Amino acid sequence: MKFGKFIKSILTSIVLITILGSSSLYAKEGNARKGKYLFRKYCRECHTDGATGDRAGKALSPIDKTQAEWDKIFKSYKSLACADQWDKRKAKDIKDIYAHLWGHAFDSPSPAKCE
Ligand code: HEC
């Protein structure tokens, strides 16, 4: 039954690799495409030219910061004037927004400005 044992260990490996592989995929940084949509939905209402209301912020686009600056902002968002807005969002959504902003930062390969 040596062959059966061999097959069993191969199958076990495949199962393990699949589980570990997918969980590390999940832990990876967010989805930039989704982040672009979420940034518009959750952030741009205040961070856009002509935003009104007592809580209107400055217009904000990925290109307005370097990747290091976005890193710093996301690490210490609690000190921002709008930290309460961030806290309303799911951690996963914030990760996706980070992926969008960081991925299109001033010093990224594809800087982007929100129109
Ligand atoms: C209810 C309005 C509102 C919402 C929603 C909001 N913000 Fe803000 N935000 C502000 C205000 C007001 C300030 C302080 C004024 C400024 O710097 O624009 C600020 C400041 C900031 C700053 C610092 C400004 C700078 O240039 O360094 C960043 C970065 C920021 N917000 C990012 C975000 C992100 C990302 C989101 C979405 C998750 C968000 N904000 C959602 C109102 C808002």
Side-chain angles (χ1 to χ4, degrees), residues 39 42-43 46-47 55-58 60 65 70 73 80-82 85-86 94 97 101:
F39 179 67
Y42 295 144
C43 313
C46 295
H47 289 287
R55 298 216 49 198
K58 287 178 282 182
L60 199 59
K65 312 274 179 201
W70 283 125
I73 286 167
L80 296 180
C82 55
Q85 299 295 317
W86 292 53
I94 293 292
I97 291 170
L101 294 173

Side-chain angles (χ1 to χ4, degrees), residues 19-52:
I19 292 171
L20 293 176
S22 60
S23 66
S24 72
L25 205 75
Y26 182 75
K28 250 189 185 167
E29 290 317 326
N31 177 333
R33 196 185 289 258
K34 248 182 97 193
K36 180 177 182 177
Y37 164 80
L38 294 170
F39 179 67
R40 287 193 182 177
K41 188 168 169 196
Y42 295 144
C43 313
R44 290 276 290 173
E45 95 187 61
C46 295
H47 289 287
T48 187
D49 283 328
T52 51

